[in-house]
């Protein structure tokens, strides 16, 4: 390959291979899906009932932090129902015609998956209302005085929406989902099961303690667990004897700057900014984003939930504040008021 080839052309084969690899690790059936037991049982009952009646499954809203399996569950729903799966994302739907193109092309009982549905433009939400309730799609033909509304009949379908920000959904849209569920972070034991399953698919020799070491630093998120497994596998093959032991996992994760709580470099930068630059806070989200050089949405959606879950930061009316545990984790002395808990 020429050295003058564009960077994207050089990267494409690797990115495609990584994407295919990620897809191969996704569970294909409800029994394969680890964790979220209550939600799995709810879906199993709803799927069996709708299949017995020959009807489309009721619309489903899946909420929760990134990487917990919302897309996998949507694909599983379609597979269990043995119906087509059509996927798009909220930001990709820019005009009413985009929505109409998808809906009118659906086969009966199809699963139509809209990722990041909270990013759907408010002006487009009303297009979904009659489609979800009455399977009808009113469209305007023509302009001006000669314009007329034509109503298209739609086949029965299931809209599955995924969101990391449930609060950004309008009430009328949210209420049209008959099944609403929130995915929670996974336990270390559940993540260890996922790591062992993925290791089997990747043909990685994995010791039990190695799986536990990876699971413990995976932030309660299967996507993170699989990503760390692949990087630990690389380290084990290059620096060790190809076996993912506890020692290999810990050495690889140290190289990746992932500490014993699963915090990466940016997590620690966020904590460091609050603790050191702003004396423990409170500090506003916009100021914090500038301090660490990251987007506000990324901090709020990706990093903050885990830091909150671990009790390292707290939201206050005036902004984010660090807890004594954050100072202890960074090896910093906590201010007297933080140590006494008066900030919280």
């Amino acid at each position: 390959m020429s050295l003058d080839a564009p960077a994207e052309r050089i990267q494409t084969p690797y990115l495609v291979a990584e994407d295919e690899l990620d897809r191969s690790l996704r569970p294909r059936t409800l029994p394969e899906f680890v964790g979220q037991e209550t939600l799995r049982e709810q879906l199993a009952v709803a799927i069996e009932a709708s299949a017995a009646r020959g009807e489309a499954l009721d619309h489903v809203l899946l909420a929760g932090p990134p990487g917990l399996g919302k897309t996998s569950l949507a694909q599983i729903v379609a597979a269990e129902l043995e119906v087509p799966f059509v996927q798009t994302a909220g930001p990709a739907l820019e005009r009413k015609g985009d929505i109409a193109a998808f809906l009118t092309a659906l086969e009966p009982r199809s699963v139509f998956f809209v990722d990041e549905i909270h990013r759907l433009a408010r002006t487009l939400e009303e297009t979904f209302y009659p489609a979800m309730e009455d399977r009808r799609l009113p469209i305007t033909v023509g302009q001006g005085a000669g314009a007329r509304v034509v109503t298209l009949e739609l086949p029965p379908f299931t809209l599955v929406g995924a969101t990391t920000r449930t609060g950004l959904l309008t009430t009328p849209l949210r209420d049209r989902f008959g099944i609403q569920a929130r995915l929670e972070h996974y336990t270390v034991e559940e993540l260890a099961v996922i790591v062992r399953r993925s290791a089997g698919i990747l043909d990685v020799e994995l010791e039990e303690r190695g799986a536990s070491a990876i699971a413990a630093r995976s932030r309660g998120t299967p996507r993170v667990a699989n990503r760390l497994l692949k990087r630990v596998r690389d380290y084990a093959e290059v620096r060790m004897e190809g076996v993912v032991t506890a020692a290999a996992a810990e050495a690889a994760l140290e190289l990746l700057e992932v500490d014993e709580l699963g915090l990466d470099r940016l997590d620690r930068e966020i904590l460091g900014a609050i603790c050191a630059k702003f004396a423990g806070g409170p500090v506003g989200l916009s100021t914090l984003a500038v301090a660490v050089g990251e987007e506000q949405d990324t901090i709020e959606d990706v990093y903050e939930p885990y830091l909150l879950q671990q009790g390292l930061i707290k939201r206050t009316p005036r902004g984010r504040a660090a807890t004594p545990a954050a100072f202890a984790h960074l090896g910093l002395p906590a201010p007297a008021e933080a140590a006494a808990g008066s900030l919280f």
Side-chain angles (χ1 to χ4, degrees):
M1 179 177 293
S2 168
L3 294 177
D4 296 326
E8 60 270 20
R9 288 181 59 192
I10 295 174
Q11 295 172 357
T12 296
Y14 171 77
L15 294 176
V16 169
E18 281 286 296
D19 190 48
E20 291 177 351
L21 187 60
D22 288 339
R23 285 198 297 269
S24 72
L25 299 180
R26 292 183 184 273
R28 305 296 177 89
T29 65
L30 280 177
E32 287 184 8
F33 194 95
V34 177
Q36 315 294 341
E37 285 84 0
T38 301
L39 173 55
R40 282 194 293 127
E41 183 63 21
Q42 291 172 353
L43 288 175
V45 171
I47 288 170
E48 185 173 348
S50 64
R53 292 192 298 264
E55 300 175 352
L57 181 69
D58 207 349
H59 304 300
V60 181
L61 179 64
L62 301 173
L68 298 188
K70 296 185 289 293
T71 300
S72 294
L73 274 176
Q75 293 173 338
I76 286 172
V77 166
E80 296 281 353
L81 290 170
E82 299 181 346
V83 298
F85 178 79
V86 180
Q87 179 174 355
T88 188
L93 300 173
E94 300 177 346
R95 300 177 299 274
K96 291 184 178 180
D98 297 334
I99 298 175
F102 274 109
L103 294 180
T104 55
L106 293 176
E107 297 180 27
R109 300 178 61 213
S110 292
V111 169
F112 181 36
F113 177 61
V114 181
D115 199 5
E116 298 181 278
I117 196 170
H118 61 274
R119 295 180 62 186
L120 186 70
R122 293 289 182 264
T123 55
L124 299 182
E125 282 191 6
E126 293 181 2
T127 306
F128 275 112
Y129 297 167
M132 295 173 71
E133 286 191 320
D134 305 318
R135 300 203 304 272
R136 293 182 177 180
L137 183 64
I139 60 173
T140 303
V141 179
Q143 297 180 346
R148 59 192 178 91
V149 176
V150 176
T151 301
L152 301 179
E153 298 292 331
L154 299 174
F157 72 98
T158 298
L159 175 63
V160 178
T163 178
T164 57
R165 306 279 294 277
T166 312
L168 295 184
L169 292 177
T170 62
T171 300
L173 179 61
R174 187 170 59 247
D175 288 348
R176 283 172 167 81
F177 288 96
I179 302 173
Q180 300 183 21
R182 178 173 181 82
L183 282 73
E184 302 295 339
H185 283 99
Y186 291 64
T187 66
V188 173
E189 292 75 19
E190 290 170 340
L191 289 171
V193 173
I194 292 171
V195 169
R196 289 195 295 270
R197 175 184 177 275
S198 297
I201 295 172
L202 297 174
D203 196 24
V204 175
E205 190 173 348
L206 175 71
E207 291 187 356
E208 186 66 30
R209 291 180 59 201
S212 298
I214 294 172
R217 303 192 189 194
S218 295
R219 307 169 65 90
T221 307
R223 182 183 298 165
V224 175
N226 285 330
R227 175 173 59 82
L228 293 182
L229 171 64
K230 289 186 287 184
R231 301 290 74 81
V232 171
R233 172 199 60 180
D234 295 344
Y235 184 90
E237 290 177 353
V238 173
R239 298 288 176 85
M240 311 291 276
E241 297 181 355
V243 180
V244 177
T245 62
E250 290 171 3
L253 294 169
E254 182 177 347
L255 181 64
L256 293 170
E257 299 183 278
V258 177
D259 65 24
E260 63 276 6
L261 285 184
L263 306 188
D264 61 18
R265 181 177 54 81
L266 186 55
D267 288 307
R268 292 189 294 274
E269 286 185 9
I270 292 171
L271 289 183
I274 299 174
C275 294
K277 293 182 180 179
F278 302 104
V283 55
L285 180 60
S286 60
T287 302
L288 182 59
V290 172
V292 300
E294 188 53 82
E295 295 292 332
Q296 295 184 48
D297 287 349
T298 302
I299 293 176
E300 192 170 22
D301 293 342
V302 179
Y303 293 94
E304 192 174 76
Y306 187 69
L307 295 176
L308 286 166
Q309 184 190 40
Q310 295 299 305
L312 297 171
I313 64 172
K314 186 172 184 178
R315 290 174 176 168
T316 75
R318 292 188 295 152
R320 277 60 176 173
T323 66
F327 286 91
H329 185 70
L330 296 178
L332 299 174
E337 60 268 27
S342 61
L343 278 178
F344 317 109

